[in-house]
Amino acid sequence: MSELPDFHIVIPARYASQRFPQKLMADLGGKPVLQWVYELALKAGAQSVTVATDHEIIEKAALAFGAPVVMTRDDHENGTERLAEVAAKMGWKGDEIVVNVQGDEPFLPVKLIHSSVIALSQDEEAEMATVACVIDQVEDFFNPNVVKVVCDEKQRALYFSRAPMPWDRDGFANNVNRTGLLPADFPALRHIGLYVYRASLLARYADLPMSPLERWEKLEQLRFLHQGIKVQVALADGLPTHGVDTLDDLEKLRYQLSLA
């Protein structure tokens, strides 16, 4: 792997969640989910790791396990807005790299952080980066909850979609088999929601309007492509362990820990 440049990690941490309220404070192997995320972020070797929250309970818990905290506004619509506020408060320069590590991803592989940071640093024209892995299951390819991405020859994103893409015109022309394996050389990529930004892009984020594509697909990354912003895509070896979206997800992770 290439030399790792300097970067910052921000962990947006919302207390409320529609599907699983207070999930970041849920116990996982004797400590809160958020603490697992903070500790893995420390292992990544960032210049700084900051928890960004608008809730006193999150702040108190984070300070208790030693995490620096920046209190943010309570009207942010997404983690990117919270990241932008932190970058502004920290006074990070435009070319500095900021990684958004979700507070509900306790087992995110550190190597994904590194590969996405390196991908962005090596593409001078790109302003953000993300991660994708190969799709091999036909079922995943046709699943609208699995976001697909297609890239150009420089490994920059051309488009993200919930629809199956690219389309095998001849192979899918007749009856489509929705199970089994895709051809080994079929260029289907699954987007993994890890985002890395240059601070200069975060500073402009508030002025970027929602795009029509984003409104229909419900994918925030399309806002950037609509504005002509270049998004570099790092390739992962496989799909990382799923985060904590529901109580069932938490129970599965607890079970995995019990086997370790």
Side-chain angles (χ1 to χ4, degrees), residues 140-148 161-163 190-191 219:
D140 290 337
F141 184 67
F142 285 95
N143 184 350
N145 294 318
V146 174
V147 177
K148 275 68 68 174
S161 182
R162 298 183 183 279
R190 176 180 189 145
H191 179 229
L219 297 174

Side-chain angles (χ1 to χ4, degrees), residues 58-80:
I58 296 284
E59 178 190 30
K60 182 178 179 180
L63 292 174
F65 57 72
V69 178
V70 171
M71 295 299 290
T72 60
R73 303 196 318 270
D74 62 3
D75 60 346
H76 290 308
E77 294 185 1
N78 53 52
T80 308

Side-chain angles (χ1 to χ4, degrees), residues 209-220 222-223:
M210 179 183 289
S211 74
L213 297 172
E214 176 188 359
R215 185 174 297 111
W216 286 103
E217 292 258 22
K218 299 297 187 285
L219 297 174
E220 182 192 352
L222 293 176
R223 182 178 311 192

